[in-house]
Amino acid sequence: MQEIEQILFSWREIAAKAAELGAAITADYEGKSPLLVGVLTGCVFFMSDLSRTIALPLEMAFMQVSSYGDAAETSGAVRILTDLPCDIAGRDVIVVEDIVDSGLTLAYLLEQLQSRKPASLKVCALLDKPSRRKIDIDIDYLGFTAPDAFLVGYGLDYAGRWRNLPYIGELKKEVYSSGCK
Ligand code: IMP
Ligand code: MG
């Protein structure tokens, strides 16, 4: 695709990584029924691949938060657009995120979820951009460390597009710096 600078992770690499993370979660939560909380919309492919590699009686729920609008940089202001349909008090919650960039979205979300008194609260993120972090975040289960570039595909979008690419690629700078959608 002409807007993609390079492919960083193929679907095979991602599937293998999801299986690795799923095995680790299966081992760590033996005898428990964790609740996977996916952060929409970027988490959808990862949530679906990851959850199918976890051999536990888990449950799934989703939240939608907004911080970016159509921009490539976080505005810093986070809002819950769609909240969980269930109570998480006493549950073993694992937040499933596509990518942690500044960390502001996840920091806000974790604070919100922690106040609802789950038994435990952990984070599983497919991608991490540590060079861009503005706030300290512990990622308990991490797929890949990514370079400081804007990534799309496998759920990740820019202004709503490119989520359906079957790989994770780097978006060409001219696409997001020109404001072209
Ligand atoms: P943060 O609050 O800066 O950590 O941003 C987290 C959210 O911004 C992620 O859940 C993504 O939805 C989005 N995001 C951050 N970096 C990228 C990227 O490179 N491509 C697509 N979305 C991104
Ligand atoms: Mg996200």
Side-chain angles (χ1 to χ4, degrees):
M1 193 160 295
Q2 63 177 11
E3 295 96 343
I4 303 302
E5 184 71 45
Q6 59 170 326
I7 293 177
L8 294 176
F9 306 105
S10 69
W11 69 264
R12 277 177 196 281
E13 289 174 276
I14 302 169
K17 186 57 79 175
E20 221 177 90
L21 296 174
I25 290 172
T26 302
D28 292 352
Y29 287 80
E30 196 190 339
K32 297 180 175 166
S33 311
L35 173 68
L36 303 188
V37 171
V39 186
L40 293 169
T41 302
C43 75
V44 288
F45 298 98
F46 182 45
M47 180 82 155
S48 122
D49 284 349
L50 175 75
S51 61
R52 285 178 292 174
T53 68
I54 301 174
L56 293 170
L58 57 76
E59 288 173 46
M60 294 193 257
F62 295 91
M63 286 181 89
Q64 188 166 22
V65 295
S66 159
S67 61
Y68 277 37
D70 281 352
E73 285 271 333
T74 182
S75 63
V78 185
R79 275 191 310 143
I80 293 183
L81 299 178
T82 310
D83 206 340
L84 289 174
C86 52
D87 188 9
I88 62 164
R91 300 297 310 265
D92 292 300
V93 174
I94 306 172
V95 176
V96 179
E97 248 295 27
D98 51 2
I99 186 164
V100 184
D101 187 36
S102 70
L104 294 170
T105 307
L106 205 50
Y108 172 79
L109 202 60
L110 291 174
E111 190 187 300
Q112 289 291 316
L113 295 177
Q114 194 61 63
S115 72
R116 303 177 192 184
K117 309 263 186 289
S120 65
L121 182 58
K122 291 199 176 184
V123 174
C124 179
L126 177 60
L127 295 154
D128 182 22
K129 284 200 265 185
S131 59
R132 308 233 328 149
R133 195 73 89 255
K134 289 187 179 153
I135 190 164
D136 213 23
I137 291 279
D138 281 336
I139 302 175
D140 303 281
Y141 303 97
L142 173 66
F144 304 103
T145 299
D148 180 8
F150 202 80
L151 312 184
V152 290
Y154 195 76
L156 296 159
D157 73 306
Y158 173 64
R161 282 185 60 194
W162 294 292
R163 284 195 203 279
N164 59 321
L165 295 179
Y167 53 79
I168 293 169
E170 179 182 338
L171 192 63
K172 283 188 176 160
K173 279 205 175 58
E174 58 263 33
V175 178
Y176 59 89
S177 53
S178 70
C180 145
K181 291 169 194 165

